[in-house]
Amino acid sequence: MNTADTEEFERFVRVSSPGLLRTAWLLCGDPHRAEEMVQESLERVYLRWGRVRRGGQPLAYTRRVLINLNTDRWRRTHKEVLTYDGSVGETPDVRGGWVEDRDQVIRLLRLLPRREREVVVLRHYADLSERDVADLLQISVGTVKSTASRGLSTLRAALTEQES
């Protein structure tokens, strides 16, 4: 990779890393595993940077790698290990503020199966369109809609139960 490509990749890493880290954390529920997933995703993208950059969607490609890494980990373990030890107290939310109820968010997301969590996180936290989520997860837009609906219904029911 030439110097210009390296500098461009470094800019990409600086700009995209915080959002990728938040997405990874919500997908896997473990801040340390999220850091590892982002690092591995960026390593894989770096090796293909010329082709990824020419494709015009490096962030979308990196998200796809991140989701694949999470799926691979889930398949290897056949169970999810979600933890929250309070050490993510300085995690900013998408809008730059501080997450006040981050422990509740993680507890609620634990209630969802992996695919529902991916759809809810990408659709409502990463603020991707239904089409973008469908392309990223390689499912239909209808599946995104129904999966998001099921996931949100589960979350609403859990919140209602907690309030009563």
Side-chain angles (χ1 to χ4, degrees):
M1 195 174 341
N2 65 38
T3 305
D5 285 345
T6 301
E7 289 174 0
E8 185 178 12
F9 180 75
E10 288 172 356
R11 278 192 302 277
F12 171 74
V13 169
R14 280 192 303 277
V15 170
S16 63
S17 288
L20 290 169
L21 184 58
R22 286 187 298 271
T23 300
W25 178 55
L26 289 171
L27 287 173
C28 72
D30 180 343
H32 303 292
R33 179 67 187 135
E35 289 174 1
E36 292 170 4
M37 286 170 42
V38 170
Q39 182 177 358
E40 188 172 345
S41 296
L42 291 171
E43 287 172 4
R44 290 181 181 192
V45 170
Y46 177 78
L47 295 173
R48 295 166 187 82
W49 181 247
R51 186 174 36 152
V52 170
R53 180 179 45 85
R54 281 191 302 277
Q57 302 257 341
L59 184 57
Y61 183 88
T62 307
R63 279 191 189 119
R64 178 75 249 167
V65 171
L66 187 67
I67 290 166
N68 287 345
L69 287 172
N70 187 59
T71 300
D72 291 346
R73 178 193 59 86
W74 181 82
R75 286 179 179 156
R76 275 192 312 272
T77 62
H78 290 22
K79 64 179 181 176
E80 293 179 323
V81 178
L82 299 174
T83 62
Y84 176 70
D85 63 2
S87 64
V88 190
E90 298 174 8
T91 303
D93 72 8
V94 172
R95 291 163 194 85
W98 298 102
V99 177
E100 295 175 356
D101 297 323
R102 64 192 171 277
D103 58 331
Q104 184 178 21
V105 169
I106 291 298
R107 279 195 313 268
L108 290 171
L109 287 173
R110 266 187 214 150
L111 301 173
L112 302 178
R114 180 186 54 84
R115 178 62 79 185
E116 285 181 20
R117 183 177 323 124
E118 288 173 348
V119 169
V120 168
V121 167
L122 293 172
R123 181 74 181 99
H124 298 286
Y125 188 81
D127 202 26
L128 298 178
S129 70
E130 290 168 342
R131 167 56 47 207
D132 290 341
V133 173
D135 291 345
L136 200 55
L137 298 178
Q138 299 173 339
I139 57 178
S140 71
V141 173
T143 301
V144 170
K145 290 178 182 181
S146 63
T147 303
S149 177
R150 270 192 317 276
L152 292 175
S153 292
T154 300
L155 296 176
R156 279 189 205 103
L159 281 172
T160 302
E161 188 176 303
Q162 285 179 359
E163 291 173 358
S164 55

